[in-house]
Amino acid sequence: MLRRDDAGFDPLTLSFPKELEEEFRRDYALKSVWHVRVGLGFAIALWSLFGLLDPWIVPEVKQAAWVIRFALVVPSLLLISLSTFSRHYYRFAQPAAATAAMISALGLIAMVNLVIRPGGAHPYTSGLLLKIGRASCRERV
């Protein structure tokens, strides 16, 4: 049985020695990179497809919603998606995933609260709740 002292990890941060931690991150990123690309592809597709509904759902603020959607959120997610093709991706895989989740959540918050400003319940509010729940989950490899 492996004892804590034998594993050599830091009891405070739970990280392994630098060489082993680097190898773990590289392996984890390599095994999960296609999941990340598919997830980001779905996010980009959904942000874009919901943009097609804006003229019917919020016609009076469609342009402002499109600025947030197509000038900020979609290009940012696309850049993060393209970064997964870098050979150094494993170094920033977790911060990139957190950034993608925050961009989506903050983009939705900005659209609902600053642009649309619904008087009551709004369809985008449920999308935000779904996004927050998904962002808190971690995939285990």
Side-chain angles (χ1 to χ4, degrees), residues 12-31:
L12 180 63
T13 63
L14 299 179
S15 63
F16 290 102
K18 185 174 176 149
E19 302 80 29
L20 187 57
E21 187 74 22
E22 188 88 4
E23 184 180 337
F24 170 76
R25 285 185 183 188
R26 185 178 285 119
D27 182 62
Y28 182 81
L30 187 65
K31 288 180 179 175

Side-chain angles (χ1 to χ4, degrees), residues 61 64-65 68 106-118:
V61 292
I68 292 171
L106 292 175
L108 196 52
I109 289 169
M111 281 181 46
V112 170
N113 294 314
L114 301 176
V115 176
I116 299 170
R117 298 183 204 173

Side-chain angles (χ1 to χ4, degrees), residues 77-135:
L77 294 177
L78 185 59
L79 282 174
I80 292 171
S81 179
L82 291 174
S83 75
T84 65
F85 292 96
S86 167
R87 65 179 183 191
H88 301 292
Y89 167 69
Y90 71 93
R91 292 184 182 163
F92 54 89
Q94 290 177 338
T99 302
M102 288 302 295
I103 287 170
S104 292
L106 292 175
L108 196 52
I109 289 169
M111 281 181 46
V112 170
N113 294 314
L114 301 176
V115 176
I116 299 170
R117 298 183 204 173
H122 197 273
Y124 287 145
T125 307
S126 59
L128 177 60
L129 295 175
L130 290 173
K131 181 64 191 159
I132 290 172
R134 178 63 190 127

